[in-house]
Amino acid sequence: MITTTAGVTVARLAIRAARPRRLTSTLLWAAQILLALLFVYFGLAKLTGGLVQEFADIGAGQWLRYFSGTAELAGAIGLLTPWLAGLAAAVMAGASIINATVLHNTTYGGLVWMTAPLCAACVLLAYGRRQQIKALAAAVRR
């Protein structure tokens, strides 16, 4: 029988073993920090009322502005958390796709081209951290 503490230790070791090589890890961390800064910037812009008109034009209501701003801040925190970075990048890639889908038929359709590189960076980051995502999934299943 495995105790809870032993299970957590095994999960941590599995996640640690899934880490990429040093140069790859350094490049991934640099990308994670840059993306986290962008998500903090965009999240705070939404939460401080900078994009009220954009969300009014979309027609979803201001609750979506608060939700997406909070999600972007959570994504930034996830990108800076070592064992959550890959999962956060995958989730933020999905969020970028949703953002592009919602915005393409509005007057803010030009922002889709700004969202595309952001999505691509998140996809590449999630791909680079795929072993950590697998280890995290295995740890959650235990």
Side-chain angles (χ1 to χ4, degrees):
M1 181 172 155
I2 296 178
T3 63
T4 304
T5 306
V8 169
T9 303
V10 169
R12 284 184 183 160
L13 291 174
I15 292 169
R16 188 172 295 142
R19 288 185 183 157
R21 295 182 182 191
R22 183 176 295 258
L23 177 62
T24 304
S25 182
T26 302
L27 292 173
L28 289 172
W29 271 107
Q32 285 170 220
I33 291 168
L34 288 173
L35 283 174
L37 288 173
L38 281 172
F39 284 127
V40 166
Y41 174 75
F42 293 139
L44 288 178
K46 288 178 177 122
L47 292 175
T48 58
L51 300 172
V52 172
Q53 187 59 43
E54 178 181 340
F55 282 86
D57 291 347
I58 291 172
Q62 296 305 307
W63 68 270
L64 183 61
R65 178 173 61 93
Y66 290 116
F67 177 77
S68 61
T70 304
E72 286 175 348
L73 288 179
I77 292 168
L79 285 170
L80 297 177
T81 306
W83 54 277
L84 276 178
L87 182 62
V91 169
M92 295 314 288
S96 298
I97 292 169
I98 291 170
N99 187 15
T101 304
V102 169
L103 290 178
H104 84 285
N105 282 333
T106 67
T107 57
Y108 302 97
L111 295 177
V112 170
W113 298 111
M114 195 170 87
T115 303
L118 188 64
C119 179
C122 287
V123 167
L124 288 174
L125 216 155
Y127 180 76
R129 297 281 185 201
R130 68 191 177 281
Q131 295 301 326
Q132 287 178 320
I133 296 171
K134 289 178 186 177
L136 180 62
V140 169
R141 277 188 243 132
R142 288 189 179 144

